[in-house]
Amino acid sequence: MRILVTGGAGFIGSHIADALVSRGHRVVLLDALLPQTHGRQAPAYSSGHELVIGDVRDADLLGRLLRDVDAVCHQAAMVGHGVDPSDLPEYAGHNDYGTAVLLAAMHAAGVGRLVMASSMVVYGEGRYTCAEHGVVSPGPRDPAQLSRGWFEPACPRCGSALTSGLVPEDARLEPRSGYAASKLAQEHLAAAWVRQAGGSVWALRYHNVYGPRMPRDTPYSGVAAIFRSALERGEAPRVMEDGRQLRDFVHVRDVALANVLALEAGVAAGGFVPLNVCSGQPHTVGELAEALSRAMNGPAPVTVGGARAGDVRHVVASPQRAESLLGFRATVGFDAGVAEFATAELREPAASAGPAVVTSSSAAGD
């Protein structure tokens, strides 16, 4: 197959491109090289692929690129927790308007197969069970309680303690940040496109992705990169809350494999299929900090309390549907993956390397 990978020079997109080529597929990469996640020029690891520098919101450019394409792997997005609500227009512009332009261009070009990067953030909090009321959806945590060190959400009906479990794909969707809302809007746009145009979409809900080529030292970096940067400065990683918040840390090569399997699987049954892409082996944020400190022979993490607005307590997922429908199973273990990440190549964003000229705008990778 010939596949267009948007965000193809980014963290996840570049690994997908490499994996596709290793399996005999042809790729064309589209990336705008935004300074939040890129240096001044295309990364060296993209040099072996056909790379077009441009914006996924450029309908004319997409029309040209889609002429000889069998499927699209859509990774271009503005990612991360962001700074504050002033980021909202950027998230909506890059993620939602960009996806709308892409879907319209695919329809015009007659390209009906899409694999897209979604995220576990669409769930908000994960799956919780109350001993009395069964599965419940807790509301946002009370800032006053967070300030007192009460981090666990309570049952919204009786106030009792809850038990955290694995969230399935049919769980209630309740995004709690601008980025999360934009990812859910992407899913809604893609599902509407399926109903109107008869296309096929695999929406891959990534959990906490880490690994080589992560962007570093920006407000949009993942927690693994933030911890590593601190350790490289000789500082202890600063862990928020009590460090016991659960996440599923999945290696970028496993995420790339899930994308390849979805592209090779063909049409998604029912048209639109969301899938959790995770390791199936949850760990706490504190465990990640400890493992990385050991791997880098650095200072032990420091737990600092507090919580960012919009953060959730626990969100870990069931990998069963992805295994059943795609045959996907994560292969990189937590200890081995973190040990590799301790010395892996990361990317310096242009924003931290001095001023640079930006001619187009669409972030790459989730």
Side-chain angles (χ1 to χ4, degrees), residues 7 24 31 87 94 138 157 167 189 225 228 260 276 281 297 319 330 341:
D31 204 298
D87 284 327
H94 292 304
R157 299 176 63 182
V167 61
L189 288 167
R228 186 178 130 167
V260 172
N276 290 320
Q281 299 294 324
N297 295 314
F341 179 70

Side-chain angles (χ1 to χ4, degrees), residues 41-346:
Q41 58 189 4
Y45 48 73
S46 295
S47 62
H49 305 302
E50 178 185 351
L51 172 63
V52 176
I53 300 176
D55 197 317
V56 74
R57 298 171 294 185
D58 185 338
D60 291 336
L61 174 59
L62 286 175
R64 295 192 295 272
L65 293 178
L66 288 167
R67 287 174 187 164
D68 185 30
V69 162
D70 300 298
V72 175
C73 186
H74 183 34
Q75 307 297 311
M78 181 172 170
V79 303
H81 195 278
V83 178
D84 57 41
S86 64
D87 284 327
L88 286 172
E90 294 295 300
Y91 279 121
H94 292 304
N95 299 357
D96 303 331
Y97 182 65
T99 297
V101 173
L102 175 63
L103 293 169
M106 290 176 64
H107 176 62
V111 179
R113 293 179 51 202
L114 175 68
V115 174
M116 62 177 285
S118 186
S119 172
M120 55 90 173
V121 296
V122 299
Y123 297 120
E125 287 284 357
R127 171 60 62 94
Y128 291 92
T129 304
C130 171
E132 181 178 353
H133 297 108
V135 174
V136 296
S137 179
R141 294 181 292 172
D142 183 349
Q145 291 187 340
L146 292 174
S147 67
R148 299 187 194 104
W150 301 348
F151 301 115
E152 296 291 342
C155 176
R157 299 176 63 182
C158 67
S160 298
L162 299 174
T163 300
S164 174
L166 301 181
V167 61
E169 287 85 352
D170 59 0
R172 177 179 176 178
L173 305 180
E174 191 178 2
R176 300 196 177 178
S177 69
Y179 170 60
S182 75
K183 297 306 287 185
L184 182 54
Q186 283 185 287
E187 287 199 15
H188 286 321
L189 288 167
W193 176 77
V194 165
R195 291 190 292 270
Q196 291 179 300
S200 166
V201 175
W202 296 96
L204 305 186
R205 292 174 179 165
Y206 303 158
H207 283 250
N208 289 69
V209 188
Y210 73 100
R213 306 176 186 171
M214 282 187 86
R216 58 179 298 159
D217 300 334
T218 84
Y220 309 94
S221 298
V223 67
I226 292 171
F227 288 163
R228 186 178 130 167
S229 292
L231 287 161
E232 287 177 336
R233 297 190 300 268
E235 301 171 3
R238 293 171 60 84
V239 181
M240 299 193 75
E241 302 189 19
D242 58 1
R244 297 176 184 171
Q245 54 271 45
L246 281 168
R247 298 292 187 269
D248 188 307
F249 299 100
V250 58
H251 196 276
V252 67
R253 287 196 297 273
D254 284 326
V255 173
L257 174 60
N259 277 270
V260 172
L261 292 174
L263 288 161
E264 293 179 344
V267 175
F272 179 86
V273 178
L275 294 175
N276 290 320
V277 175
C278 57
S279 72
Q281 299 294 324
H283 290 271
T284 68
V285 174
E287 287 172 336
L288 172 67
E290 291 167 359
L292 198 53
S293 292
R294 288 194 301 271
M296 297 179 67
N297 295 314
V302 175
T303 302
V304 298
R308 297 184 302 181
D311 266 1
V312 299
R313 179 60 173 172
H314 305 300
V315 55
V316 294
S318 168
Q320 291 182 353
R321 182 185 288 186
E323 182 172 358
S324 173
L325 297 183
L326 299 182
F328 169 73
R329 180 180 294 178
T331 60
V332 180
F334 179 78
D335 291 336
V338 172
E340 177 200 25
F341 179 70
T343 58
E345 174 189 12
L346 301 185

